[in-house]
Amino acid sequence: MAAAAGEEVPNKRVVLKRYVTGFPSEDDMEVVTATARLAVPPGSTAMVVKNLYVSCDPYMRGRMTKHEWPSYVPDFVLGEVLVNFGVSRVIASGHPDFKVGDLVWGMTGWEEYTLVPKPESFFKIHHPEFPLSYYTGVLGMPGLTAWAGFFDVGKPKKGDYVFVSAASGAVGQLVGQLAKLTGCYVVGSAGSDEKVNLLKTKFGFDEAFNYKKEQDLDAALTRYFPEGIDIYFENVGGPTLEAVLSNMRNHGRIPVCGMISQYNLEQPEGVHNLFQIVAKRLRMEGFMVFDYFSEYYKFEEEMAGYLKEGKITYVEDIAEGLERAPGALIGLYSGRNVGKQLVAVARE
């Protein structure tokens, strides 16, 4: 039954129960039921959204720790709802740009209903003909991340040799496909034979390998890149980064998107061959997706075109219901997910 505007309704939500050190567990979060009012305060430009899908992303791990020095995103607050990107429908609005019924994506709560005080941070969904879940992935933040990191930071040229780590994840699967569209030779690493098979058969990578089966990553990269690597799209850090630096070509580029192998370590691992950056005149550059939000609608049209033409394909791993959200998030850090991990809160 549809809830009437203005009434109070039960609101299931996922909250942070305690701050995390080391590897997170489902018990660090809790699913509770609060209430939500389906109306905006009189005279405000806020909106209330009904959340349809919420995204599980590796960077959330950093927000679950109490930082002495502020990180690039604020820590989650104990007892408060977790927040991340999600797909929602507007059910009440005081904002001139957002009408009741609009489909949107943006930073929302891990809950059924969210009051959004500043709707300007949300994007309207222009291609509802695709699965709406795509707006947590290929048409949302991870898609924009892949597009901006590969093209703007990686600066690819036709014929470049490209290596992608965590290559079957939300971002990696897209970087590989964009690289192929650009005319590059692409190799990906992943953590299971199933994922490796996916990279080669579904995503069109030239080669792929299971890093857990390689005793010597340096030797593996030399095998796949006898001429060396022009672009390494960095998602993992640690020993992989060290092996890559030894195999880069002169003037190679390393867009640094994330370092998931380091997020749960009490003491991050070092990299022992950084002088390679000097010797090979490498450019290693970190980037943040929100620096590219002004280009989102341009990206959305480009990516929608690739999807319609069948030039890009996307694999999702969908957990059903907010109760499953904590487990889905934790699974990211052991590579349990196959493709983009998200949670269906309410299917329309």
Side-chain angles (χ1 to χ4, degrees), residues 230-289:
D230 291 298
I231 298 175
Y232 169 46
F233 197 94
E234 167 67 301
N235 285 314
V236 301
T240 301
L241 174 58
E242 192 159 313
V244 165
L245 286 171
S246 305
N247 285 278
M248 291 295 290
R249 300 175 83 175
N250 287 349
H251 304 288
R253 285 84 68 204
I254 304 177
V256 184
C257 177
M259 295 192 172
I260 196 170
S261 74
Q262 306 300 294
Y263 296 165
N264 297 307
L265 302 179
E266 303 266 357
Q267 199 60 48
E269 294 168 307
V271 174
H272 303 89
N273 56 347
L274 287 175
F275 191 77
Q276 295 280 357
I277 294 172
V278 181
K280 293 174 174 170
R281 288 81 91 196
L282 305 177
R283 187 163 61 78
M284 185 169 176
E285 184 181 340
F287 69 99
M288 286 286 160
V289 67

Side-chain angles (χ1 to χ4, degrees), residues 131-208:
L132 290 176
S133 55
Y134 275 19
Y135 280 87
T136 67
V138 58
L139 289 168
M141 183 277 284
L144 183 62
T145 300
W147 182 79
F150 184 63
F151 290 119
D152 189 60
V153 185
K155 299 198 169 16
K157 301 184 298 295
K158 189 178 176 190
D160 276 350
Y161 296 103
V162 177
F163 176 51
V164 186
S165 52
S168 70
V171 175
Q173 57 175 298
L174 293 171
V175 172
Q177 292 178 86
L178 292 171
K180 287 308 298 174
L181 287 174
T182 309
C184 301
Y185 175 83
V186 189
V187 178
S189 64
S192 74
D193 293 345
E194 178 194 4
K195 292 176 182 180
V196 167
N197 186 45
L198 204 60
L199 292 174
K200 293 201 279 197
T201 58
K202 194 165 179 76
F203 300 135
F205 282 61
D206 294 290
E207 285 290 349

Side-chain angles (χ1 to χ4, degrees), residues 8-15 29-37 79-81 110-113 322-323:
E8 285 224 334
V9 295
N11 189 22
K12 198 182 295 171
R13 54 198 338 217
V14 181
V15 301
M29 294 164 271
E30 191 174 16
V31 181
V32 300
T33 301
T35 58
R37 185 175 285 285
E80 293 281 326
V81 71
W110 274 28
E111 57 191 350
E112 292 173 283
Y113 301 97
L322 277 170
E323 304 78 10

